[in-house]
Amino acid sequence: MTSLDDLPLRDNLRGRTPYGAPQAPVPVALNVNENTHGIPEAVAHDIVASVAASIIGLNRYPDREFTDLRRDFANYLGHGLTAENIWAANGSNEVLQQILLAFGGPGRTLLGFTPTYSMYPLLASGTSTSWVAREREPDFELSGEYLARVIAEETPDIVVLCAPNNPTGTPLGLDAIRAAYEAAPGIVIVDEAYAEFSDLATPSALELLPGRPRLIVSRTMSKAFAFAGARVGYLAADPVIADALRLVRLPYHLSALTQAAARAALRHSDAMLAVVDDIRRQRERISAGLSALGFKPYRSGSNFVFFGGVDDTDQLFRQLFERGILIRDIGIPGHMRVTAGTEAETSAFLDAMSALRS
């Protein structure tokens, strides 16, 4: 049987494994940071109707500029943004890939701070961009002083800051982002995939966009909007960034069906985000419950909790799986990550952890 070793694969892809998390039909799946609450029925009906209406025109290519969708995203984000500030693609991963295609490539570097989103180095490899990883500070935090010093040392072409960070959930303040931007010679990406779950007083990097043409704020509909299956990501930046991405995007890369579904969801943003407060409550329940059991949960501005104090991550993963609960072993010794789901899912997880601890 032919294997990858028999193919003329690029050298920088040899020995690598594709991104992925365990998938299994369990009652409580809390391992991939999905919004487990689902889409409200009334909203689902409107999305279906909008997608159905778009089918009539499927003999034609979609609007390659997805102008209406960009305008809707700008209205949703506010901060004085217009359609010209917005770009979108099939999930935030494709947004990031397009950024690397435009600003990365052979001889260029992408700097990140680990542990962080494991797709960053994979996207770097796929675009022949060198991945430079520097460790985060104690408790997985990042200060402006540290960011500025590391960026000055590495002089990367692109810096990516995950805020809140995945897998640790760590928030990142605007002062730290300002410091990173001032120190960076090139593009600075702030990946705000989990921004809607941040505490209400937490400002977004969107506030920093005016006067900073090298700053990009990436967002997704996969998390707070419960739209992971639709694959819709987007960014906000100076309009010149969108001009650059037009050079590398595939023709008509956002289908008419995707555009129709996303626009319908955005029309109901209040209903789609109504569960965010409950998700924050479940996140705090998990943190408090894990603390009471002797684990160490880290502060989180996301829809998950990263915690330490696990004696054997493989064993805990198996024990929970046997009870129909799936969480994430992310390969950091003594640490695991669990998504904040519904109240019932949170209770099932905490009850199982308590039973295993006793």
Side-chain angles (χ1 to χ4, degrees):
M1 182 176 177
T2 303
S3 71
L4 282 178
D5 291 336
D6 300 315
L7 297 177
L9 197 66
R10 282 174 17 207
D11 289 341
N12 68 323
L13 296 182
R14 291 193 179 278
R16 294 187 174 273
T17 56
Y19 174 85
Q23 291 182 308
V26 295
V28 182
L30 302 175
N31 66 322
V32 289
N33 302 339
E34 297 162 320
N35 183 339
T36 65
H37 288 72
I39 297 174
E41 184 175 355
V43 178
H45 286 311
D46 189 29
I47 293 172
V48 169
S50 297
V51 171
S54 72
I55 290 175
I56 296 173
L58 286 187
N59 60 309
R60 301 291 189 180
Y61 286 114
D63 174 12
R64 69 168 179 259
E65 292 300 313
F66 41 94
T67 306
D68 291 336
L69 177 59
R70 289 163 63 206
R71 185 180 300 114
D72 291 347
F73 275 132
N75 291 336
Y76 166 69
L77 292 177
H79 291 84
L81 297 170
T82 68
E84 287 69 32
N85 296 109
I86 306 298
W87 189 254
N90 294 284
S92 59
N93 288 328
E94 187 178 55
V95 170
L96 296 171
Q97 181 186 57
Q98 290 178 349
I99 295 169
L100 291 178
L101 286 170
F103 300 105
R108 297 194 174 189
T109 56
L110 170 66
L111 170 66
F113 295 84
T114 58
T116 193
Y117 184 33
S118 58
M119 271 300 297
Y120 296 153
L122 293 178
L123 289 167
S125 290
T127 58
S128 294
T129 306
S130 296
W131 167 247
V132 178
R134 294 288 294 265
E135 292 186 0
R136 301 174 75 88
E137 294 181 278
D139 287 338
F140 308 104
E141 300 283 342
L142 287 175
S143 66
E145 294 80 5
Y146 179 70
L147 287 171
R149 176 166 60 81
V150 171
I151 291 170
E153 291 171 355
E154 300 290 352
T155 62
D157 297 281
I158 308 170
V159 177
V160 61
L161 304 170
C162 196
N165 185 53
N166 177 18
T168 63
T170 316
L172 187 64
L174 294 191
D175 287 344
I177 297 170
R178 284 192 196 94
Y181 185 87
E182 290 169 4
I187 297 294
V188 176
I189 307 166
V190 182
D191 183 355
E192 291 191 341
Y194 300 93
E196 285 92 348
F197 300 110
S198 297
D199 294 335
L200 294 176
T202 302
S204 165
L206 294 169
E207 295 185 11
L208 301 180
L209 286 176
R212 294 181 174 87
R214 295 179 287 106
L215 180 63
I216 299 173
V217 181
S218 174
R219 291 283 189 102
T220 184
M221 295 187 77
S222 294
K223 307 303 181 182
F225 271 87
F227 229 49
R231 311 307 303 128
V232 185
Y234 58 106
L235 65 76
D238 188 282
V240 73
I241 295 294
D243 289 338
L245 300 188
R246 286 184 178 91
L247 300 174
V248 299
R249 60 105 177 262
L250 293 174
Y252 310 103
H253 70 285
L254 271 182
S255 76
L257 303 180
T258 299
Q259 293 182 44
R263 293 196 67 209
L266 286 167
R267 283 198 298 271
H268 300 277
S269 59
D270 288 345
M272 294 287 277
L273 300 177
V275 299
V276 168
D277 283 343
D278 182 60
I279 292 171
R280 290 194 194 100
R281 285 192 293 270
Q282 302 313 316
R283 179 186 73 202
E284 298 311 312
R285 278 188 66 205
I286 291 172
S287 293
L290 290 173
S291 291
L293 292 171
F295 295 98
K296 181 183 178 179
Y298 294 85
R299 74 183 187 111
S300 175
S302 59
N303 70 330
F304 56 84
V305 175
F306 178 73
F307 62 100
V310 181
D311 294 330
D312 187 329
T313 56
D314 288 338
Q315 181 184 55
L316 180 57
F317 180 90
R318 291 194 305 269
Q319 290 173 326
L320 290 173
F321 183 76
E322 290 168 358
R323 289 164 169 78
I325 301 170
L326 199 58
I327 69 170
R328 190 71 174 266
D329 182 350
I330 52 175
I332 300 176
H335 294 77
M336 300 189 79
R337 190 191 71 196
V338 57
T339 303
T342 63
E343 182 176 1
E345 289 170 331
T346 297
S347 295
F349 167 71
L350 291 176
D351 289 347
M353 292 294 285
S354 180
L356 292 170
R357 205 63 159 174
S358 62

